[in-house]
Amino acid sequence: MSFTLDPKCPPGPIEDRWRKHKFNMKLVNPANKRKFSVIVVGTGLGGASAAASLAELGYQVKAFCLHDSPRRAHSIAAQGGVNAAKNYQSDGDSVYRLFYDTVKGGDFRARESNVYRLAEISNQIIDHSVALGVPFAREYGGTLANRSFGGAQVSRTFYARGQTGQQLLLGAYSAMMKEVETGGVELFARREMLDLVLVDGKARGIVARNLVTGELETHAADAVIVATGGYGHVYYLSTNAMNSNATAIWRCHKRGAGFANPCFTQIHPTCIPVSGTHQSKLTLMSESLRNDGRVWVPKKAGDNRPPNEIPDAERDYYLERIYPSFGNLAPRDVASRQAKFACDDGRGVGPSKLAVYLDFRDAIQREGEDKIREKYGNLFQMYEKITGENPYQVPMRIYPAVHYTMGGLWVDYHLMSTIPGLHVLGEANFSDHGANRLGASALMQGLADGYFVIPATLGDYFVNNKLEPITTDHESFRAAKRDQEETIQKLLNVKGKRTAMEFHRDLGKLMWDYCGMSRTEAGLKKGIEEIRKLRAEFWKDVRVPGDSNDLNQELETASRVADYLELGELMCLDALERRESCGGHFREEYQANGECKRDDENFCHAAVWEYQKNGQPVRHKEELKFEFVHLAVRSYK
């Protein structure tokens, strides 16, 4: 198949583009929609909202869920809120300001047309979610409440205490389950997509493994939507759930879908620090805590006094000092780097010295403990349960950790990948956040893609493409199933001595050391070399007990780790080739006083990688044009 990068961005004033483009797209007659079938892989916010919306329009939808219930999707872990430009506070917010903040927050490495559409749709998301019964926090008079998040000087984040993701997911889940009940959606739980099936170069189905029985299944449709989240778990220790994985998007990549900006990973500044090698994941403390919590470290290196014994004059509130305009609400990549610098300077706190304080003393004195409990009670309770420390009495200890991936499968304005018929939603695609995602924008993107964008663009694909009727008896389905049977048997036949989890842990350390919060040319070259060695060792010494015809979680893990070993190398290669610093991609060679130094002349583009069986991927470019937010040095001071 040909590899083309046509973003399909409409022309004209940016505020008119989506409205006019929707009118100009082809429509499917309501009576004809039932003739088309769609596979939706993933039932988090993006997938559940898409499945519900498409089924309500009349399409036949098959939805595939990795868990026993869609309610367990990792979307529930998003705690702090969802952005929208409603400007209830009359504090200067607008659709354009949300658009501007998002482009700037992504360090000018996102596509303007997609970002403006996201900002424009944001207000519809709130109205739609309220109609579904999402219990957003409200002011005394009944209006919806807002708070601030990093990278913005306005209050635009709607929230449901520290459970916003869970409540939004329950809204999308209820909408989808209504369609399951009426027959519009057929739900397949405990299924993992292992391959994409192409017929005449178009995405026409998937191969999935029943995780309970081990059976390989094939499913056919007229289009495939992948909404399986990000790939941050490649680092092993991250805020992602243990079941979060990259297999679906990686297998699509190996079938021809371009993978864009894989090195753009986000480090979240407010996570509970690593406590030991026994850990399998890290716990995120919501960025919303930075509304009232003040970040600081001792001014002197090696100051081991308890925090309450260190007077204000001997504390360095470094975010407030360095970024007076944004203070503790500096963007995630900026706040994370400064925490690392403080710890590298010997001023880290706690047993490991790899932590900084997030202190609520002043907020409690100002507003009272009851008010703080009302805002953040469940988050404080979670912190105390994990650490044994009461954050009402002593500061929280936090440190950056891998959280979100801005890279993903390349998509155009219609959310379609380089494979016709394969659409990608939410964190699984690359489109809206550039080199750094602002807080509370992940939920916004997933719901915008699922509720409002894909229902409009999918019909245009159906009208403009002739899709012959097919079944899973087609040779392409049989061949794809054979490929997966051979891969599974290859894993089972190694019969080595080490578990897949051990290999994953080793890979995670390599990724963190060489492609983590900061990167260097020498480190990335070393990382690529070490990952290749580790992958060779994996295929010689991994132990996968049991067989494929039953519940086998070791096999699931090994299959995912095999993909991570390939993806990790691509991430390092992408970071090596991008010889600049921007957003979450911090190359130590390209900086100015600890701040990113972009190279707009040579790298103002999305890097899109084409898979090659010989192991030498080809790098393509989608040039980024900034007509409405002009390129500038990104400053939060």
Side-chain angles (χ1 to χ4, degrees):
M1 60 176 290
S2 60
F3 195 92
T4 58
L5 296 176
D6 178 6
K8 295 188 175 68
C9 295
I14 199 162
E15 61 271 15
D16 296 335
R17 288 182 177 181
W18 177 233
R19 176 177 54 83
K20 289 184 176 180
H21 194 66
K22 279 196 296 182
F23 179 79
N24 291 329
M25 283 189 293
K26 302 294 185 182
L27 298 175
V28 179
N29 181 294
N32 287 338
K33 285 190 174 76
R34 66 178 65 96
K35 299 177 182 178
F36 292 99
S37 58
V38 186
I39 285 172
V40 178
V41 184
T43 49
L45 281 180
S49 59
S53 302
L54 294 171
E56 201 164 276
L57 287 173
Y59 295 111
Q60 301 174 49
V61 178
K62 286 184 175 182
F64 291 80
C65 173
L66 187 69
H67 308 281
D68 51 355
S69 168
R71 290 173 295 176
R72 293 178 63 85
H74 190 57
S75 299
I76 67 168
Q79 302 158 334
V82 54
N83 286 331
K86 282 187 168 292
N87 193 29
Y88 283 160
Q89 274 73 25
S90 296
D91 58 359
D93 202 11
S94 64
V95 168
Y96 192 89
R97 187 175 292 279
L98 176 52
F99 159 64
Y100 173 86
D101 286 347
T102 305
V103 171
K104 177 184 174 183
D107 217 350
F108 300 90
R109 292 296 179 261
R111 188 190 294 148
E112 277 192 328
S113 294
N114 288 64
V115 176
Y116 192 91
R117 178 176 64 188
L118 177 64
E120 182 181 352
I121 288 173
S122 67
N123 293 337
Q124 295 173 258
I125 294 170
I126 304 303
D127 296 338
H128 191 75
S129 298
V130 169
L132 288 172
V134 174
F136 287 119
R138 293 180 181 267
E139 303 290 356
Y140 180 79
T143 57
L144 296 180
N146 286 134
R147 56 191 177 199
S148 299
F149 260 60
Q153 292 177 303
V154 296
S155 295
R156 63 162 67 104
T157 303
F158 295 77
Y159 63 96
R161 295 190 76 186
Q163 305 167 357
T164 313
Q166 182 179 24
Q167 297 302 326
L168 288 169
L169 181 62
L170 288 173
Y173 166 77
S174 64
M176 182 178 70
M177 294 309 291
K178 184 200 78 168
E179 297 302 322
V180 171
E181 179 66 23
T182 58
V185 173
E186 186 178 2
L187 180 62
F188 295 84
R190 299 293 289 150
R191 301 306 202 281
E192 181 167 24
M193 175 182 165
L194 296 183
D195 207 352
L196 179 72
V197 180
L198 305 184
V199 178
D200 297 328
K202 298 181 177 67
R204 296 302 302 270
I206 65 169
V207 178
R209 183 172 184 267
N210 184 319
L211 298 179
V212 177
T213 67
E215 180 185 1
L216 290 183
E217 305 170 347
T218 52
H219 299 267
D222 296 307
V224 176
I225 295 171
V226 171
T228 51
Y231 49 91
H233 198 42
V234 69
Y235 288 88
Y236 186 71
L237 284 180
S238 75
T239 66
N240 289 262
M242 287 298 289
N243 266 343
S244 297
N245 66 85
T247 288
I249 58 172
W250 188 250
R251 303 294 172 87
C252 290
H253 173 57
K254 294 177 79 168
R255 288 293 183 186
F259 206 120
N261 301 331
C263 77
F264 284 172
T265 53
Q266 180 168 82
I267 312 297
H268 198 295
T270 53
C271 299
I272 296 178
V274 175
S275 60
T277 57
H278 63 281
Q279 283 182 276
S280 57
K281 75 175 299 295
L282 299 175
T283 302
L284 170 70
M285 301 306 298
S286 171
E287 183 172 314
S288 63
L289 294 169
R290 290 199 280 150
N291 274 277
D292 289 298
R294 300 179 71 190
V295 179
W296 65 275
V297 292
K299 286 185 176 180
K300 293 182 179 179
D303 190 338
N304 295 320
R305 288 176 292 173
N308 293 342
E309 294 181 10
I310 302 178
D312 275 10
E314 298 176 35
R315 299 180 178 189
D316 181 10
Y317 293 92
Y318 57 86
L319 290 178
E320 299 172 35
R321 172 175 56 82
I322 301 171
Y323 309 104
S325 295
F326 283 76
N328 295 298
L329 287 172
R332 291 176 175 177
D333 60 317
V334 171
S336 293
R337 275 194 295 275
Q338 292 302 331
K340 180 182 186 300
F341 294 157
C343 293
D344 290 348
D345 195 34
R347 295 185 293 148
V349 301
S352 68
K353 302 303 179 186
L354 290 176
V356 300
Y357 288 127
L358 182 61
D359 196 339
F360 290 85
R361 181 200 64 183
D362 294 348
I364 291 172
Q365 290 176 354
R366 182 177 63 248
E367 299 186 29
E369 185 174 316
D370 288 346
K371 187 66 175 179
I372 298 301
R373 193 181 303 274
E374 180 182 320
K375 290 182 181 178
Y376 311 113
N378 60 312
L379 297 172
F380 277 48
Q381 183 182 38
M382 180 173 69
Y383 181 87
E384 184 172 8
K385 188 172 184 179
I386 292 171
T387 66
E389 298 177 354
N390 184 345
Y392 295 102
Q393 298 175 0
V394 296
M396 292 182 179
R397 284 179 286 109
I398 59 170
Y399 193 70
V402 173
H403 178 56
Y404 188 91
T405 50
M406 285 75 67
L409 295 185
W410 183 92
V411 293
D412 61 17
Y413 193 66
H414 289 197
L415 302 184
M416 189 161 73
S417 72
T418 54
I419 297 176
L422 174 64
H423 297 76
V424 191
L425 313 185
E427 191 180 356
N429 77 34
F430 91 111
S431 66
D432 292 358
H433 306 297
N436 173 65
R437 177 177 67 79
L438 294 184
S441 289
L443 302 182
M444 179 172 63
Q445 185 204 352
L447 293 176
D449 288 354
Y451 281 139
F452 299 107
V453 180
I454 197 64
T457 62
L458 187 62
D460 186 76
Y461 170 75
F462 287 147
V463 172
N464 287 310
N465 287 272
K466 185 176 181 180
L467 301 169
E468 299 292 342
I470 61 165
T471 69
T472 56
D473 290 332
H474 192 283
E475 174 56 27
S476 295
F477 285 85
R478 292 198 294 268
K481 186 177 180 181
R482 284 195 302 270
D483 287 345
Q484 294 312 308
E485 288 171 342
E486 291 172 4
T487 300
I488 288 171
Q489 199 57 49
K490 183 180 177 182
L491 283 167
L492 292 169
N493 288 343
V494 175
K495 300 187 186 303
K497 297 178 181 179
R498 301 185 63 198
T499 66
M501 190 73 77
E502 291 178 75
F503 282 101
H504 192 180
R505 187 181 289 111
D506 290 348
L507 173 64
K509 188 175 188 311
L510 291 174
M511 293 299 298
W512 181 254
D513 288 346
Y514 299 119
C515 197
M517 287 181 66
S518 63
R519 296 108 186 244
T520 65
E521 180 178 355
L524 289 165
K525 288 179 177 178
K526 178 70 171 176
I528 292 169
E529 179 184 342
E530 293 299 319
I531 290 170
R532 288 172 177 168
K533 290 179 183 176
L534 187 65
R535 185 166 66 245
E537 183 184 350
F538 173 86
W539 285 106
K540 292 178 181 177
D541 200 30
V542 70
R543 183 181 78 248
V544 183
D547 58 45
S548 61
N549 301 314
D550 204 346
L551 175 70
N552 191 336
Q553 292 181 321
E554 288 289 332
L555 177 59
E556 294 170 31
T557 301
S559 177
R560 296 165 188 170
V561 172
D563 293 332
Y564 281 141
L565 286 163
E566 297 177 351
L567 172 57
E569 181 181 338
L570 183 65
M571 292 169 66
C572 291
L573 183 59
D574 186 48
L576 180 64
E577 291 296 318
R578 186 170 285 277
R579 294 179 295 279
E580 65 165 352
S581 288
C582 55
H585 171 62
F586 188 70
R587 283 282 298 270
E588 293 181 14
E589 305 96 322
Y590 309 102
Q591 60 172 302
N593 298 319
E595 304 291 352
C596 288
K597 188 175 181 181
R598 295 197 320 264
D599 181 352
D600 294 332
E601 182 178 350
N602 295 302
F603 292 97
C604 191
H605 60 253
V608 187
W609 293 87
E610 180 182 7
Y611 179 79
Q612 299 288 309
K613 289 184 178 180
N614 63 7
Q616 301 295 322
V618 177
R619 189 178 191 267
H620 302 265
K621 295 189 291 186
E622 180 201 336
E623 298 293 344
L624 298 173
K625 299 177 182 178
F626 292 92
E627 304 173 69
F628 303 94
V629 179
H630 297 296
L631 289 165
V633 175
R634 180 174 175 242
S635 174
Y636 292 93
K637 295 185 177 181

